[in-house]
Amino acid sequence: MGRFILKRLWQTLIILLLVSVVAFMLIQFIPGDPVYVMLGENISKEYHDTVYESMGLNQPLTTQYFNWLGNMLRGDMGYSYHFRKNVNQLIASRLPVTLTLGIISAVVSVVLGVFFGAVTAVKRGTATDTTLTVLANIGLATPSFWIAVLLVYIFSVKLGWLPAVGFTLPWVNFQKSIRQMILPVICMSMGGVASYTRQMRSSMLEVIHQDYVRTARSKGLPENKVIWRYAVKNSLIPILTMASTTLRGCIGGSAIIETMFNIVGMGQIMVIAINYCDYQLLQSSLFFMAGITCLCNLIVDIAYAYADPRIRLE
Amino acid sequence: MKAISRILALVLVLAMALAIVPATAEEAPQRGGTVTIAFPASLTNIGFPVAGGVQPLWASKPAIEMLARYDENGQIKGWLAKEILVDSDNLEVTLKLQEGVKYHDGTPFNAQAVCDVWQIYIDNGSASAYFGNVDSFEAAGEYEVKVKLNEWRTSTVGNLCIECGVMISPTEFKRVGLEGIYGSVVGTGPFKMSRYDIAEGIEYVRNEDYWIEGQPYLDGINILFFTEESTGENIFNTGDAQVIFGVSANLARRLERNGFEKICNNACISPTMTGIYFASGNQDDPISKLEVRQAFSYALDKQALCDTFASGVGFVSEQLAIPGSKEYNPDVKGYPYDPEKAKAKLQEAGYGPGECTITLYYQPVNEDMFVAVKGMLEKVGFNVVGDTRTGNVSRNMVGTTDPWTCCAFFWAPTTVETWHLFFGNPPIVYAINTIDMEAAGIFDCYNRCLTSKTAEEQKAAMMELQVLCTDEYCLYTPMFDTPALINFSDGTVRDHGMAQTWVCEWTPEAMWLAQ
Amino acid sequence: MGENLLELRGLQTVFHTREGLVRAVDDVSLSVQPGEIIGIVGESGSGKSVSMMSMIKLISMPPGEIVKGEAIFEGQDILRYEQKSPELQRIRGGGISMIFQEPMTSLNPVMTIGQQIEESILLHLKYTKAQARARAIELLGMVGIPDPESRIDHYPNQFSGGMRQRVMIAMAISCNPKLLIADEATTALDVTTQEQILNLLRDIVRQTNMALIIITHNLSIIARYAQRIYVMYAGNIAEQGRSEELFYHPSHPYTMGLLRAIPRLDSDKSARLLSIPGAPLNPAQKTGCCPFAPRCPYAVDRCRQPVMPTPQIYSDTHRAACWFRREELHGGLALEKAHTHPVADKPLLEVRQLCKYFPVTKGITRRKVGDVKALDHVSFTIRQGETFGLVGESGCGKTTLAKTLLRLYDATSGEIIFKGQNIAPLKERHLRELRREVQFIFQDPYGSLDPRQTAGNVVGEAVRVHHLAKTRKEYERRIDELFTAVGLDPALKNRAPHEFSGGQRQRLCIASALASDPSFIICDEPISALDVSIQSQILNLLIDLQAERNLTYLFIAHDLSVVRHVSDRIMVMYLGTVMEIAPWQDLYEHPLHPYTKALLSAIPVPDPVVEANRPSAPIIGEVPSLINRPSGCVFHNRCPYATERCKKEFPPLQEVNEDHIVACFEWEKLI
């Protein structure tokens, strides 16, 4: 197990290094002078030169890269010219928002998806199965922003039950936080719930026909134990591989939902960074998010190995 | 029974009649409440707004006041400078300041503060142009500032009291420096900034020590940033915000249809005029003939173009000004759509159908508009060649004496003060070889617009310029205006003063919320 | 005769499928007494497993439905209980336990074996957790798992197939069931392991007085262990009786056919195998008449009337569901002489010191850390016209050898001399002629046919590739000819492969192998995926074709009786090395290598008397994985005669006499 984690850590490191190169090259691909692109052409020459030098653009490419990487590793992610703040500060203030939303959405996706999937598989061929499967297919085919528009129209504009925008961290104002989170979490987890339902259903159906489930029945295990201890547990293994995608999607892919609900998290920050050509911010937050994603993958892989002794004991 | 039912009916009718009678016209302001304004950007430099244009200035207004405001007639009237006096030679301006005003940080607002702030502008902003005709300024007393000019311009008072009249706290500037001042809003205004998050919004709370007794009425003002307009629409529709600032034409139409109150004056929201200008360096070119330009102008169905290309919020104008603005001359006849007249004018110029070939420059994104215009022109007998080389090409060549001719689309601001933004030059420059500007008296008239000593003189010059440029010489054909920065409210916000006299203007101190 | 432990009366189970109603179990009655071992024999689809599983309602319902019947177990009719009722759950595992065919998949991979065994114990016996664990350890020791105290916390994937089956047995007997059902429990295991497991089950029955039902398709296994046998065909019991009665006096034409159709270790090789024509009846097509009638050589009109035959009773225990008494069944099944084929002295294929290693890599850099020696210095000669048999258990290198000879794998070293030319180093483009000359038939007739092509296209592929037909007409004629040669109607050539039955598909494979007119065919387990009654048809076909076309076969199988029947000479392999090569009589009558001896003794013979008198010398342990290949003689760790030398040195192939070669240091002492 230790060797397995070490191996995965090693792979993660290589991936991160590659990402850092790509993120770094971003700024190199900007046609023209990145400082002018970033700050507009109306700035004074002196200001331009200051920024140019502070970004280290006068140094050779490799030096720039290693300086940047070195800074990143030391925990200094640079300075955002749009926000006039250290990227560290910015991320520190925005990451909790995205993480809260992302983790809650991912958990909702997995829990509901697994539950619905198990129900549809056990009740295969019944009306419950058909309804849930059709709903899952619809959920999968519907883009999340469209769901967002629809839900906001119904629940906020027409019925006025839930706020249409905003975000409060749960430990700041719990009730408000919950009210504000309901719609974004639904939108972000919709696709996940749908795909987990489908995946779990087929996974369960496969497992239910496995010999060891028959063995469990032949032992005289009560049906609910057969389902939960044997079928669900084993079906969860392929689900776990999806979990990393979901977590990544929820954390990295929240830009649309964040924009729709006016939630200022990492996704919004990156959108703004792109809109205002804030390259240092973009570069660093990209790398940071890639790091988070790798971490998620690592955690899921370890969880996967833990769940499946066939992998753990390899 | 009959009597009773009659009485009942009467009572009913009376009750209904009473119900439709409008509420009393003059309502007394109510105290309390917080107004939330949905704002379509994430602002990063609100504390030192002058450099940032309309949005930062607008969003700083609850906390930072200016030396002057515009009145209903578009004239400058004093605010923090309660009197603005110009001497008889038009070479000295004296500002008499409100007394007893204090910045939020306790710094007294006085003549020295004004001078300090101006110095900040000169040192740090791109505002030095505003002080181009200023020799010196000094604190002549605790509450009196004297400005010595080397030359008078009509824009001088505006430059001093509006453009550079945003009175931030010089103490705060000293404390936090240029970088810091962008995020620190300290002024004399009716509200103090309590929270500012560059990505989320600004929160203001009532300034208890505001210099106008009894004001402000509101407890606070929140400005809530959004980046996606549909999000802004949701915020507004759900009642989370009472005002939405700067909406797009599409959203404006939708909100108007839903019965929301549009709270801006078309003349004040910096509309953009779309039109076509003529420029010729060649005396023999058809464009050099007045009749051809007139025929061109008559041939355009401006209303149709406006309906198609202005997203339903535009309006037609026959001159380079918005109806109702101070630049607008109601006497200008213009060239209302008349294909017959266009044909006649073309005939008059000596061109039969298909004989007059002109080149129209357009950008590829405006292909649709070009096709529409081309169709209208060809209907009256023009022969139109399209060319997409615009931008720098035309900018470089127009205004020189090269044998260059063109008709091209333009998008221009419509106030005299901002005419210079029109490709960097006032629009008349582009016609430099079309007619003899000097002889036509156009240059003279334009200069008078910029340097008149009194408002009346300036007004007269502007009216004359409109006539000359449009009716007399037809230097360009304005087509329609598209307003930008339209604001809406849900009807509960009163006395907001938003965009009533100037695009950046509103009156947070007088604003109140009808419960 | 004591009280019956279980009595099944008139059980009828049907499945509602898209093709219609499938009568999987049709009026089956049987009984079991405590401590008795009975066997249920039948081919796939005969209803042998379904009848047992429907008894404890382990079939999925729907589509399954138990239409009628009673199952009296310890005096109660357990069919009355609902599928998910607690009563039935108590009986499952507590009263009746089952062991299934696939030990690899029958255990939950995410639970330790201990948890799985304890789960059963806690469920049925009122034990504490600690007691349950103690019991589980005791059981694991009992079923022969070494070091049960530590192995109890291992996961199923840490056990070999045989060991998993032992765990399954431990689990099944953990709650002292009265009846144990072993559903093809040893089919997936190697022969030597199979013997161990069956012996274990028999011993358990002797110790505990538990009853055991062995469900299998393999008549030979039954002969050694079962006291009474039920033969099932298409959902009906065709014949039932004590072992001796059934083997010596088979009374149903189907039983007779089966017994004659399987090659036996002691059968007369010169006689042709008698085969049952046609394919097993699909229970969906039952008409109500005797289901065997379409294939029965004695069938008369009465047999085809939609009435089931009244059983003929021969003794208390022996009865057969046939209209005729066995005395009346004669003729029609005369023994034929098998085709003989001339064997030339000239070698067709010589393999010298052939090695095939697969590298074992590690890490991201794919650093090579070792070799899996799938073939290690293999040498042999195949003569023109002979059938060269190759036997061995899993991992012996049978399939690797076949693929290396076909040049689907590149040999690591060594020579493959085919018709005088070393083909091992040839480049792919020079192999065209080899590809035409050497053909192959694989085990799985389902996977080896392209489902999108018609049967004719599949067969004709080689003809097209090698340009063996000049005109369209010649091509068609050739295909018709090939279809006829393998006993298929040429009219079927436009059908898709999935429309053919298993036996027909294997015929198609043979036809496509013959299409390029090869001289050498490698048959890799060509019959092991087929039903018993079909196997002899294919074997006969292969033998006939050899005589007709002067073919040379390399015949690979794990079943020694089958290899014996077809081969002239036989090579025994173990873990990639050659153990022994000998002519078939020599090998079976005078085996020299201890492994060969062990293999032979593990093969059951379908004859209870012979079986009872055979000395049983089971070898210990299981075939190790190739990665853990023992040093020295690869068999030394399982060999009862191993010496210190065997552990260190690799015994060379020694020539005992002409044609008989053995790789053992000690062979002389073992005679």
Side-chain angles (χ1 to χ4, degrees):
Chain A
M1 193 67 186
R3 288 181 65 88
F4 173 80
I5 296 176
L6 262 174
K7 193 172 131 195
R8 290 292 292 112
L9 266 174
W10 170 238
Q11 288 170 349
T12 306
L13 224 75
I14 290 178
I15 292 167
L16 275 181
L17 219 65
L18 287 176
V19 171
S20 77
V21 173
V22 173
F24 174 76
M25 289 312 281
L26 260 184
I27 205 156
Q28 309 302 327
F29 289 135
I30 308 163
D33 186 326
V35 175
Y36 282 128
V37 172
M38 190 167 78
L39 299 174
E41 303 210 354
N42 291 332
I43 57 167
S44 65
K45 180 86 179 72
E46 290 73 35
Y47 189 47
H48 167 266
D49 291 348
T50 323
V51 175
Y52 197 82
E53 265 167 53
S54 77
M55 287 174 76
L57 291 170
N58 45 351
Q59 290 165 334
L61 215 60
T62 42
T63 319
Q64 279 184 46
Y65 172 70
F66 285 109
N67 280 346
W68 175 66
L69 198 65
N71 286 339
M72 291 294 289
L73 291 180
R74 270 197 306 276
D76 172 12
M77 295 196 271
Y79 182 77
S80 157
Y81 285 88
H82 175 71
F83 288 103
R84 296 199 176 84
K85 257 190 186 173
N86 278 330
V87 176
N88 287 34
Q89 274 175 291
L90 256 171
I91 290 181
S93 67
R94 300 305 163 193
L95 193 64
V97 176
T98 300
L99 279 187
T100 312
L101 209 59
I103 289 173
I104 291 179
S105 304
V107 168
V108 168
S109 305
V110 175
V111 171
L112 283 187
V114 164
F115 178 74
F116 287 147
V119 168
T120 51
V122 172
K123 307 234 175 241
R124 184 161 104 128
T126 63
T128 322
D129 173 31
T130 319
T131 318
L132 281 174
T133 307
V134 166
L135 281 179
N137 285 335
I138 293 173
L140 213 58
T142 319
S144 61
F145 69 86
W146 192 84
I147 301 268
V149 170
L150 191 77
L151 290 182
V152 165
Y153 183 76
I154 295 172
F155 292 104
S156 304
V157 178
K158 284 288 140 186
L159 299 172
W161 291 351
L162 294 167
V165 292
F167 183 85
T168 314
L169 286 167
W171 46 90
V172 175
N173 181 339
F174 188 73
Q175 207 193 341
K176 189 176 171 197
S177 165
I178 295 297
R179 278 173 53 79
Q180 284 178 331
M181 255 192 283
I182 291 176
L183 290 182
V185 165
I186 290 179
C187 296
M188 280 174 77
S189 51
M190 184 72 114
V193 171
S195 58
Y196 278 109
T197 305
R198 284 166 46 113
Q199 178 67 41
M200 185 68 189
R201 182 177 184 270
S202 59
S203 175
M204 273 280 278
L205 286 178
E206 201 185 308
V207 169
I208 278 180
H209 290 114
Q210 287 290 324
D211 295 338
Y212 52 78
V213 173
R214 184 180 60 187
T215 306
R217 290 210 175 104
S218 81
K219 279 202 274 193
L221 277 188
E223 191 63 17
N224 62 341
K225 271 196 187 154
V226 174
I227 295 296
W228 287 106
R229 204 182 292 173
Y230 281 71
V232 172
K233 228 175 138 184
N234 278 289
S235 313
L236 279 177
I237 291 170
I239 294 288
L240 259 177
T241 37
M242 278 176 72
S244 79
T245 328
T246 311
L247 213 54
R248 184 172 36 195
C250 282
I251 291 170
S254 55
I256 294 174
I257 293 300
E258 284 186 6
T259 308
M260 296 289 301
F261 287 96
N262 220 35
I263 296 166
V264 189
M266 287 304 294
Q268 274 263 58
I269 290 287
M270 282 163 84
V271 169
I272 292 172
I274 294 168
N275 282 345
Y276 291 90
C277 303
D278 195 337
Y279 290 105
Q280 225 163 25
L281 172 61
L282 191 60
Q283 207 175 11
S284 297
S285 46
L286 204 68
F287 183 64
F288 186 78
M289 291 310 277
I292 296 244
T293 307
C294 286
L295 195 72
C296 290
N297 284 352
L298 189 68
I299 291 169
V300 167
D301 278 358
I302 290 169
Y304 187 79
Y306 185 77
D308 192 344
R310 284 170 292 191
I311 292 175
R312 185 181 354 144
L313 300 169
E314 275 291 294
Chain B
M1 268 314 275
K2 226 176 195 177
I4 293 175
S5 49
R6 252 187 219 163
I7 292 168
L8 260 176
L10 197 72
V11 169
L12 254 172
V13 168
L14 259 171
M16 281 166 71
L18 277 172
I20 9 183
V21 166
T24 36
E26 210 45 51
E27 285 174 297
Q30 295 174 2
R31 291 194 154 270
T34 300
V35 168
T36 302
I37 299 164
F39 199 86
S42 83
L43 295 178
T44 56
N45 55 352
I46 53 169
F48 188 49
V50 74
V54 173
Q55 290 183 341
L57 178 56
W58 198 92
S60 312
K61 279 253 161 156
I64 307 182
E65 294 180 292
M66 309 208 305
L67 288 173
R69 289 179 172 179
Y70 285 101
D71 67 9
E72 306 78 60
N73 305 316
Q75 300 301 323
I76 289 169
K77 69 165 192 207
W79 185 253
L80 282 178
K82 66 183 175 200
E83 277 181 88
I84 301 162
L85 307 165
V86 184
D87 75 341
S88 50
D89 302 334
N90 277 59
L91 284 175
E92 188 179 88
V93 182
T94 306
L95 306 182
K96 296 235 157 107
L97 305 181
Q98 286 289 357
E99 292 172 26
V101 178
K102 269 197 169 111
Y103 283 108
H104 299 157
D105 59 3
T107 313
F109 171 75
N110 53 23
Q112 192 51 52
V114 174
C115 295
D116 289 347
V117 173
W118 280 346
Q119 199 54 51
I120 293 170
Y121 278 116
I122 292 168
D123 294 344
N124 299 297
S126 51
S128 52
Y130 294 116
F131 290 87
N133 60 334
V134 174
D135 262 353
S136 66
F137 50 84
E138 57 171 1
E142 177 71 11
Y143 295 108
E144 188 172 297
V145 184
K146 280 202 187 305
V147 184
K148 296 228 182 311
L149 308 174
N150 50 31
E151 171 194 27
W152 171 256
R153 279 185 214 154
T154 339
S155 57
T156 299
V157 173
N159 285 348
L160 292 173
C161 299
I162 306 275
E163 299 293 348
C164 298
V166 183
M167 290 294 116
I168 60 170
S169 161
T171 321
E172 180 69 6
F173 184 83
K174 257 182 229 127
R175 192 173 71 82
V176 299
L178 182 63
E179 276 296 297
I181 200 72
Y182 284 116
S184 175
V185 188
V186 179
T188 59
F191 295 90
K192 293 179 181 178
M193 188 183 81
S194 65
R195 182 166 171 271
Y196 169 42
D197 188 312
I198 33 196
E200 287 177 11
I202 316 167
E203 284 172 19
Y204 292 108
V205 292
R206 173 214 291 276
N207 175 11
E208 300 292 349
D209 300 326
Y210 187 55
W211 56 276
I212 300 178
E213 198 62 43
Q215 282 185 345
Y217 302 114
L218 292 173
D219 293 336
I221 292 176
N222 288 344
I223 292 179
L224 186 61
F225 299 154
F226 62 88
T227 45
E228 168 63 38
E229 192 164 60
S230 62
T231 310
E233 185 180 357
N234 287 333
I235 301 173
F236 185 62
N237 275 335
T238 51
D240 287 343
Q242 288 76 39
V243 175
I244 183 164
F245 174 83
V247 305
S248 74
N250 277 326
L251 180 54
R253 227 165 8 160
R254 208 153 53 236
L255 293 175
E256 217 161 6
R257 208 170 44 228
N258 291 344
F260 288 108
E261 183 190 359
K262 184 166 144 188
I263 48 170
C264 57
N265 176 349
N266 274 347
C268 296
I269 46 177
S270 69
T272 304
M273 177 66 85
T274 305
I276 294 169
Y277 68 85
F278 307 111
S280 168
N282 181 355
Q283 291 299 320
D284 303 327
D285 193 87
I287 286 301
S288 299
K289 294 201 166 93
L290 175 63
E291 292 81 5
V292 173
R293 299 197 294 270
Q294 287 176 328
F296 188 112
S297 304
Y298 278 125
L300 300 183
D301 183 349
K302 290 153 196 142
Q303 191 59 52
L305 289 169
C306 175
D307 292 346
T308 314
F309 298 107
S311 312
V313 291
F315 45 88
V316 171
S317 176
E318 288 288 346
Q319 52 189 304
L320 200 57
I322 313 302
S325 68
K326 65 177 194 282
E327 294 87 358
Y328 189 79
N329 183 351
D331 296 334
V332 169
K333 289 189 284 298
Y335 304 92
Y337 178 51
D338 192 341
E340 291 315 312
K341 241 183 189 160
K343 283 181 196 159
K345 283 281 179 196
L346 208 53
Q347 199 69 45
E348 213 177 300
Y351 297 101
E355 285 175 6
C356 179
T357 301
I358 54 168
T359 309
L360 185 54
Y361 289 80
Y362 66 99
Q363 286 175 337
V365 288
N366 299 114
E367 176 107 35
D368 290 351
M369 209 191 299
F370 165 74
V371 170
V373 168
K374 183 176 185 226
M376 291 174 182
L377 291 174
E378 283 177 346
K379 221 153 120 194
V380 301
F382 277 100
N383 205 0
V384 181
V385 180
D387 194 325
T388 52
R389 289 170 296 145
T390 54
N392 289 334
V393 182
S394 60
R395 192 192 298 184
N396 292 339
M397 298 187 81
V398 176
T400 68
T401 47
D402 292 342
W404 165 263
T405 60
C406 85
C407 316
F409 289 99
F410 69 76
W411 282 265
T414 51
T415 54
V416 172
E417 287 86 348
T418 51
W419 273 358
H420 68 274
L421 297 174
F422 180 29
F423 298 133
N425 287 297
I428 49 171
V429 174
Y430 295 99
I432 198 157
N433 293 317
T434 319
I435 58 164
D436 186 342
M437 297 277 192
E438 207 63 62
I442 289 178
F443 282 165
D444 173 56
C445 189
Y446 179 65
N447 281 333
R448 271 190 286 129
C449 288
L450 301 181
T451 57
S452 301
K453 292 190 176 169
T454 64
E456 291 74 30
E457 278 175 42
Q458 190 200 20
K459 176 101 188 168
M462 287 191 295
M463 297 303 109
E464 193 185 336
L465 187 67
Q466 294 289 14
V467 175
L468 286 173
C469 291
T470 311
D471 285 354
E472 290 282 312
Y473 295 102
C474 191
L475 296 180
Y476 44 76
T477 292
M479 299 192 297
F480 52 86
D481 272 303
T482 320
L485 302 174
I486 307 171
N487 310 328
F488 276 87
S489 99
D490 63 359
T492 58
V493 180
R494 305 289 154 80
D495 295 336
H496 46 74
M498 286 180 194
Q500 296 305 310
T501 58
W502 180 45
V503 63
C504 289
E505 194 63 88
W506 57 306
T507 54
E509 76 287 344
M511 194 157 99
W512 57 278
L513 196 58
Q515 302 301 326
Chain C
M1 258 204 150
E3 188 74 4
N4 281 338
L5 173 70
L6 169 77
E7 199 169 335
L8 210 55
R9 292 187 201 137
L11 178 71
Q12 196 172 43
T13 305
V14 298
F15 287 95
H16 302 273
T17 68
R18 282 199 194 127
E19 293 160 37
L21 193 69
V22 176
R23 294 166 181 276
V25 179
D26 203 356
D27 196 18
V28 164
S29 302
L30 56 79
S31 63
V32 188
Q33 289 175 5
E36 197 183 20
I37 301 180
I38 69 161
I40 302 179
V41 192
E43 298 173 88
S44 58
S46 63
K48 55 190 192 301
S49 298
V50 178
S51 58
M52 290 300 106
M53 298 223 280
S54 37
M55 191 169 75
I56 49 174
K57 301 204 169 163
L58 273 185
I59 54 169
S60 43
M61 303 196 289
E65 188 195 344
I66 296 167
V67 181
K68 64 180 168 85
E70 285 179 324
I72 313 292
F73 178 73
E74 294 189 304
Q76 303 169 289
D77 179 11
I78 59 173
L79 281 184
R80 279 185 300 130
Y81 301 131
E82 286 296 311
Q83 190 172 21
K84 289 170 188 171
S85 63
E87 291 89 351
L88 199 54
Q89 276 158 9
R90 248 198 317 278
I91 287 166
R92 290 185 197 152
I96 304 175
S97 273
M98 276 189 94
I99 308 167
F100 300 98
Q101 172 171 0
E102 282 295 333
M104 294 305 196
T105 56
S106 291
L107 289 167
N108 188 344
V110 301
M111 286 168 76
T112 64
I113 57 159
Q115 286 169 338
Q116 297 186 52
I117 298 172
E118 288 161 32
E119 188 180 51
S120 276
I121 298 171
L122 292 170
L123 195 70
H124 294 289
L125 307 175
K126 302 271 172 282
Y127 276 29
T128 63
K129 271 225 141 132
Q131 285 173 318
R133 189 175 164 87
R135 165 102 176 126
I137 292 171
E138 180 198 326
L139 284 163
L140 287 174
M142 191 172 142
V143 297
I145 305 247
D147 192 13
E149 285 85 1
S150 65
R151 296 288 269 168
I152 190 167
D153 291 323
H154 285 194
Y155 287 90
N157 67 307
Q158 291 167 289
F159 291 86
S160 68
M163 285 295 166
R164 283 188 220 186
Q165 203 59 300
R166 285 170 195 270
V167 172
M168 275 298 289
I169 292 171
M171 196 159 79
I173 62 171
S174 63
C175 305
N176 307 317
K178 298 287 185 307
L179 173 63
L180 180 62
I181 303 168
D183 184 359
E184 301 272 15
T186 58
T187 307
L189 303 174
D190 280 322
V191 253
T192 52
T193 318
Q194 166 175 311
E195 190 193 17
Q196 294 166 15
I197 297 289
L198 286 169
N199 286 347
L200 171 67
L201 283 173
R202 185 184 56 199
D203 295 344
I204 290 169
V205 167
R206 281 179 189 160
Q207 287 164 24
T208 62
N209 202 34
M210 181 177 75
L212 173 66
I213 299 179
I214 299 175
I215 302 176
T216 183
H217 66 281
N218 189 338
L219 264 175
S220 317
I221 289 182
I222 296 274
R224 188 183 284 187
Y225 299 97
Q227 289 145 16
R228 283 190 305 117
I229 295 170
Y230 292 85
V231 177
M232 286 189 72
Y233 185 79
N236 296 92
I237 291 182
E239 184 170 358
Q240 65 189 78
R242 281 181 288 113
S243 287
E244 315 87 68
E245 289 172 332
L246 207 97
F247 281 102
Y248 296 123
H249 308 289
S251 305
H252 193 285
Y254 175 60
T255 321
M256 295 176 183
L258 270 189
L259 282 172
R260 289 176 201 162
I262 42 175
R264 299 166 50 154
L265 273 187
D266 55 355
S267 65
D268 178 9
K269 229 186 100 158
S270 63
R272 200 174 150 77
L273 286 174
L274 283 169
S275 56
I276 307 171
L281 183 70
N282 179 350
Q285 286 152 5
K286 284 177 81 165
T287 53
C289 68
C290 170
F292 190 61
R295 300 174 76 189
C296 183
Y298 312 107
V300 294
D301 276 353
R302 183 162 85 162
C303 299
R304 298 185 186 98
Q305 300 303 317
V307 186
M308 287 298 286
T310 24
Q312 301 291 337
I313 297 170
Y314 297 99
S315 75
D316 281 354
T317 47
H318 193 191
R319 52 178 66 190
C322 184
W323 290 112
F324 298 103
R325 291 198 65 80
R326 67 170 172 255
E327 299 79 37
E328 298 172 76
L329 303 171
H330 44 72
L333 282 172
L335 289 181
E336 284 175 54
K337 207 69 185 137
H339 285 287
T340 51
H341 50 277
V343 177
D345 249 352
K346 204 169 90 184
L348 177 75
L349 178 78
E350 261 188 279
V351 172
R352 290 189 197 141
Q353 303 294 326
L354 185 66
C355 296
K356 175 63 195 169
Y357 299 163
F358 293 99
V360 179
T361 58
K362 220 171 177 180
I364 315 170
T365 51
R366 312 215 59 78
R367 184 165 45 94
K368 189 179 154 189
V369 291
D371 283 311
V372 169
K373 297 184 177 178
L375 293 177
D376 197 14
H377 298 282
V378 172
S379 303
F380 61 91
T381 307
I382 300 178
R383 294 170 195 146
Q384 196 146 18
E386 80 171 338
T387 301
F388 188 78
L390 167 55
V391 282
E393 298 176 279
S394 56
C396 77
K398 302 182 294 242
T399 302
T400 311
L401 178 64
K403 291 189 171 174
T404 312
L405 293 182
L406 283 166
R407 286 293 316 274
L408 297 177
Y409 288 153
D410 285 328
T412 307
S413 67
E415 292 176 350
I416 306 168
I417 296 162
F418 181 74
K419 287 193 169 173
Q421 189 190 12
N422 183 8
I423 57 164
L426 286 186
K427 292 269 179 305
E428 180 62 39
R429 61 176 181 279
H430 301 305
L431 289 175
R432 204 179 172 78
E433 182 56 21
L434 179 77
R435 296 258 183 269
R436 194 190 67 72
E437 284 260 20
V438 183
Q439 285 291 329
F440 50 86
I441 301 164
F442 286 125
Q443 171 175 1
D444 181 8
Y446 297 87
S448 37
L449 294 172
D450 182 349
R452 284 168 309 239
Q453 293 201 36
T454 63
N457 268 337
V458 170
V459 171
E461 189 168 22
V463 181
R464 295 193 303 273
V465 169
H466 296 290
H467 308 293
L468 298 177
K470 290 191 177 57
T471 61
R472 180 83 206 165
K473 220 170 149 191
E474 196 186 329
Y475 171 76
E476 294 294 339
R477 207 187 57 234
R478 211 179 144 84
I479 291 190
D480 292 357
E481 199 182 286
L482 285 164
F483 267 68
T484 320
V486 298
L488 288 173
D489 182 357
L492 301 176
K493 67 182 176 186
N494 289 325
R495 298 211 181 157
H498 68 86
E499 292 177 70
F500 291 81
S501 71
Q504 285 176 316
R505 270 188 238 199
Q506 199 58 295
R507 284 173 194 270
L508 276 180
C509 290
I510 295 171
S512 71
L514 291 176
S516 65
D517 214 356
S519 55
F520 181 48
I521 298 183
I522 298 173
C523 311
D524 187 359
E525 303 267 12
I527 59 166
S528 60
L530 302 174
D531 272 322
V532 184
S533 67
I534 305 295
Q535 290 185 353
S536 58
Q537 296 174 4
I538 300 295
L539 281 181
N540 282 341
L541 174 67
L542 286 171
I543 293 168
D544 293 348
L545 288 169
Q546 182 173 40
E548 279 166 31
R549 296 178 176 243
N550 193 23
L551 295 169
T552 306
Y553 288 140
L554 170 60
F555 192 95
I556 302 173
H558 68 280
D559 187 336
L560 279 128
S561 0
V562 171
V563 174
R564 174 184 174 276
H565 182 79
V566 295
S567 307
D568 299 306
R569 289 189 306 132
I570 294 168
M571 172 161 81
V572 179
M573 282 181 77
Y574 182 76
L575 288 183
T577 45
V578 177
M579 299 275 112
E580 187 165 2
I581 302 175
W584 68 272
Q585 296 100 329
D586 268 14
L587 191 88
Y588 285 85
E589 284 158 25
H590 312 291
L592 294 179
H593 198 283
Y595 177 61
T596 317
K597 289 180 181 174
L599 266 188
L600 283 172
S601 81
I603 306 281
V605 176
D607 187 325
V609 176
V610 174
E611 275 295 341
N613 299 325
R614 265 174 78 191
S616 177
I619 48 168
I620 46 167
E622 286 178 52
V623 184
S625 143
L626 274 174
I627 298 167
N628 306 319
R629 213 160 168 262
S631 60
C633 173
V634 287
F635 187 61
H636 80 78
N637 60 339
R638 297 176 74 196
C639 181
Y641 316 106
T643 62
E644 277 307 304
R645 190 178 172 205
C646 298
K647 289 180 189 165
K648 292 180 192 127
E649 282 178 53
F650 184 80
L653 283 171
Q654 302 174 46
E655 207 158 298
V656 178
N657 57 39
E658 196 194 346
D659 274 2
H660 200 149
I661 301 169
V662 66
C664 183
F665 294 121
E666 307 287 319
W667 67 271
E668 278 158 308
K669 295 178 200 152
L670 304 178
I671 295 176

